[in-house]
Amino acid sequence: MNPIGHTIIRLHEVVSTNTLVMETEHYLAQHGLVVVARHQTGGRGRIGKKWVSLPGAQLQFSTVVHPKIPRDEVPAMALMAGVAVAEGLERGLGLEPTLKWPNDVLLGGKKVCGILVEMKTDSAGSPRVVVGIGINCNGSERDFPAGLRPLLTTLEHHAGGPVELDQLLGEILPRIEAWQERLDAGGKSEMLEAWQGRAHLGGRKLRYPTPQGAREGRAVGLTEEGYLLIETPGGGRQIHVSGEIEWL
Ligand code: BTN
């Protein structure tokens, strides 16, 4: 299999690197292809949210992965990508990121990176996955729209100086490859351990959405699928599969 990043397509501006790759069959067919954009006019986040693009100041890219895991295990790849980014920030920049379920990377409790994992299947039903990663690299928190400033941060703010985007990409891609190889070889529990080690979940109070409205509980940890296990106020346990959680 070709390494992740064997081909890197660099775009000045695109609507969304994820959309481009998802809609371009010959991109999706190439495991390891990476599309990087300096600016996205319609960057997408999870659950229909928008990704705010600051031209030239962020690392925004999508990579195609043809995993060997079954389709229903693909959601765990979002956690895997979070671990790969966190390791890249730790080893490359000496930072100490934390992870927020399911796939945000935080510095000082504020989001510095978002991850959007999307999937199609080929004619044989095998997954073709697009791992989209956006990292707020340079500039300050004041560069974001006022309403988002309390929530978002940049690497530069924490690293004390500007970050070289290509160097950071070079830190992250081999880590995606290594972790994906582990997942493909049945090493999900190892990946979940690496994720939980940076998430400090145990006992934290949170609010989570349910079809009946928001509920409060405490995070217990992850299930073996990578879902969030929550203890309800009555002492019961609930598995939270998707939807934004809020720490209390
Ligand atoms: C989120 O925070 O909910 C996920 C944000 C993911 C943003 C990245 S930037 C590169 C790729 N292209 C997109 O349109 N989204 C992802």
Side-chain angles (χ1 to χ4, degrees):
M1 248 184 175
N2 280 325
I4 302 276
H6 63 85
T7 301
I8 300 183
I9 298 172
R10 295 174 187 281
L11 302 174
H12 186 73
E13 183 176 297
V14 67
V15 174
S16 150
T17 54
N18 260 46
T19 305
L20 176 72
V21 175
M22 286 290 282
E23 291 179 353
T24 309
E25 191 44 48
H26 66 278
Y27 286 173
L28 210 48
Q30 292 180 61
H31 170 83
L33 177 103
V34 174
V35 176
V36 188
R38 184 189 151 274
H39 179 42
Q40 297 183 109
T41 54
R44 295 187 290 111
R46 287 177 56 248
I47 43 182
K49 290 191 179 169
K50 287 190 180 135
W51 168 260
V52 178
S53 174
L54 305 174
Q58 292 159 314
L59 180 58
Q60 307 180 93
F61 68 97
S62 300
T63 183
V64 179
V65 181
H66 294 177
K68 298 197 178 85
I69 53 176
R71 266 191 317 201
D72 59 340
E73 290 186 18
V74 165
M77 288 174 62
L79 302 175
M80 176 279 286
V83 173
V85 170
E87 283 184 351
L89 300 183
E90 288 159 6
R91 312 252 173 93
L93 297 169
L95 296 169
E96 289 184 28
T98 56
L99 296 171
K100 180 179 174 221
W101 190 89
N103 46 9
D104 287 345
V105 183
L106 312 181
L107 281 172
K110 293 169 116 183
K111 177 165 167 170
V112 74
C113 165
I115 293 163
L116 177 66
V117 170
E118 298 182 292
M119 177 183 75
K120 278 190 174 171
T121 49
D122 68 8
S123 54
S126 303
R128 299 289 181 246
V129 178
V130 177
V131 179
I133 297 181
I135 305 177
N136 305 324
C137 292
N138 292 322
S140 80
E141 295 175 353
R142 287 188 305 278
D143 298 337
F144 296 108
L148 294 175
R149 281 177 210 157
L151 306 173
L152 302 179
T153 191
T154 67
L155 295 180
E156 181 171 6
H157 182 84
H158 291 266
V163 169
E164 222 281 291
L165 305 192
D166 267 350
Q167 209 170 319
L168 184 58
L169 183 65
E171 291 283 350
I172 294 170
L173 295 181
R175 294 190 160 90
I176 294 178
E177 179 166 311
W179 278 109
Q180 186 59 45
E181 273 173 14
R182 266 174 251 177
L183 280 186
D184 287 344
K188 184 152 73 173
S189 58
E190 198 189 330
M191 185 280 289
L192 293 178
E193 226 171 85
W195 192 93
Q196 295 204 70
R198 295 175 174 88
H200 316 296
L201 283 180
R204 277 188 79 179
K205 279 188 89 178
L206 54 81
R207 186 175 292 127
Y208 61 102
T210 76
Q212 294 76 39
R215 297 273 188 276
E216 291 183 7
R218 283 184 190 276
V220 178
L222 297 182
T223 66
E224 60 183 34
E225 294 82 17
Y227 301 136
L228 189 61
L229 190 59
I230 295 173
E231 188 176 83
T232 60
R237 293 212 162 173
Q238 176 111 16
I239 294 172
H240 185 61
V241 173
S242 71
E244 207 69 34
I245 60 158
E246 189 191 334
W247 294 123
L248 299 173

